[in-house]
Amino acid sequence: MFNKPILQVEPTNCCNRNCDICMRGYQGRRQGYMDYESFKTFVDANKPYYLGFHGWGEPLLHEKICDMVAYAASKGAITSLITNGTLVDSEILQKLYGSKLRELAFGVYRVKMLEQISGNVEKATDLKRKMGLKNLKIFLDITAYEGNREEIRQIIEHGARLGIDAVNIHRIFNLHNPVYKALCKDDEAKLFEEIRTVCKRLSIELTLPREHTSVCRIAKYCIFVTWDFKVTPCCFLPDHVLAQGPNIKIADVIKSHSYREFLNSMSSNPVCSKCIM
């Protein structure tokens, strides 16, 4: 068991985009925004060492997102945020950087998507440079699948021109539409080798997905907390509630019988048994 899980907190599951590969619209979940005061209670109760503002929505839609980042950072957490980039502007960047954000990720998976937000990505990298924020990492978060395999190199090269520091690649996990298929192992291996070469040439840090394992590393070392404070093992299991409420202590959850039982039954879980992440 682990003592310091990576916490992924969902500020909201509302979004201003409707991406075709996203499962958000198929979950049937009630939509809403995490209460700020309750978020502070949660942070105080858990004192996370790493807190990612990730989930099934656009974090920058939350009116208190910069305050949330600042509060978590003030309690010692390494903070990370992923955005689709459409709402990024100079004002929000100033606030995010002032909140001591450590990682800013732009989620894109098609060349056209990056082109649409290129100006905003460039604002982010320019401001980082002007403020001398060497500890801030700005990167592209790219979902790889059959439909965009030939675009990924272009996305990385375009990102490099915009000044990004790194690229994170992850596999698609499609539970909603069979049209979107993961790459077969051979194609994935070839793509990853191409990407390694490109990133080395461009001096860009690269993170690639590893071989899927059981028990799943994500479920074992991460905890996902929905906007309404449902504590779950993974963002793909928002209805598998281990505990609920802002006062919940994650350390107690990961020691609980229900959590151990989940880990032991992952191979038969209808979602986990299909996962390739």
Side-chain angles (χ1 to χ4, degrees):
M1 287 299 167
F2 54 97
N3 295 317
K4 292 184 177 181
I6 293 172
L7 296 186
Q8 295 180 320
V9 171
E10 179 181 67
T12 180
N13 62 342
C14 298
C15 192
N16 62 330
R17 299 200 73 162
N18 187 27
C19 297
D20 54 355
I21 66 170
C22 182
M23 290 170 47
R24 185 183 67 87
Y26 296 82
Q27 292 177 332
R29 295 170 57 206
R30 184 168 64 97
Q31 294 187 4
Y33 294 82
M34 182 170 277
D35 178 72
Y36 176 56
E37 294 301 323
S38 297
F39 168 78
K40 292 197 293 184
T41 297
F42 176 79
V43 170
D44 290 343
N46 290 284
K47 298 178 175 59
Y49 90 99
Y50 182 99
L51 196 153
F53 293 92
H54 311 153
W56 293 106
E58 170 50 54
L60 297 186
L61 286 173
H62 198 299
E63 64 178 7
K64 289 284 190 178
I65 188 61
C66 296
D67 295 321
M68 294 168 80
V69 173
Y71 192 79
S74 74
K75 300 299 179 176
I78 297 169
T79 54
S80 173
L81 184 146
I82 184 167
T83 174
N84 61 35
T86 58
L87 302 178
V88 170
D89 58 26
S90 298
E91 181 180 359
I92 201 161
L93 285 170
Q94 288 279 359
K95 290 179 180 178
L96 283 175
Y97 291 1
S99 71
K100 298 185 179 178
L101 183 71
R102 289 283 297 276
E103 297 176 352
L104 177 61
F106 290 89
V108 295
Y109 59 92
R110 303 306 290 255
V111 170
K112 185 176 180 180
M113 293 177 72
L114 182 54
E115 290 174 345
Q116 290 172 341
I117 63 167
S118 290
N120 296 346
V121 176
E122 201 160 26
K123 286 177 186 176
T125 58
D126 283 349
L127 184 59
K128 173 195 168 177
R129 185 177 63 254
K130 290 174 182 177
M131 294 179 69
L133 301 175
K134 294 182 179 180
N135 290 330
L136 172 66
K137 180 191 292 186
I138 299 176
F139 62 99
L140 298 183
D141 187 77
I142 306 171
T143 303
Y145 66 107
E146 280 188 359
N148 72 342
R149 190 249 185 266
E150 301 305 320
E151 296 186 46
I152 292 178
R153 176 173 178 160
Q154 292 176 262
I155 293 171
I156 294 172
E157 291 176 335
H158 191 175
R161 292 191 292 271
L162 298 173
I164 61 164
D165 304 304
V167 170
N168 178 53
I169 305 288
H170 59 88
R171 303 179 181 102
I172 193 170
F173 181 32
N174 175 22
L175 293 173
H176 69 288
N177 191 329
V179 169
Y180 306 110
K181 301 180 186 299
L183 293 166
C184 70
K185 284 191 174 183
D186 286 346
D187 280 349
E188 181 182 271
K190 290 176 184 176
L191 173 64
F192 288 179
E193 189 55 39
E194 291 174 19
I195 290 173
R196 288 189 189 97
T197 301
V198 170
C199 288
K200 184 177 181 180
R201 173 171 57 84
L202 297 172
S203 298
I204 291 175
E205 182 182 330
L206 173 64
T207 301
L208 293 171
R210 291 183 281 177
E211 190 73 24
H212 180 70
T213 59
S214 185
V215 173
C216 171
R217 288 184 302 272
I218 295 173
K220 188 176 181 181
Y221 297 109
C222 301
I223 288 290
F224 180 65
V225 184
T226 65
W227 68 267
D228 47 355
F229 294 99
K230 292 177 181 176
V231 180
T232 79
C234 171
C235 66
F236 291 104
L237 296 167
D239 297 320
H240 191 107
V241 182
L242 299 168
Q244 185 169 4
N247 292 296
I248 291 293
K249 291 190 176 181
I250 300 301
D252 292 338
V253 173
I254 63 179
K255 294 175 184 175
S256 68
H257 172 73
S258 60
Y259 181 72
R260 293 196 301 271
E261 188 177 57
F262 164 76
L263 291 180
N264 292 332
S265 63
M266 287 179 68
S267 60
S268 61
N269 183 289
V271 174
C272 299
S273 61
K274 299 174 185 176
C275 184
I276 60 171
M277 297 296 278

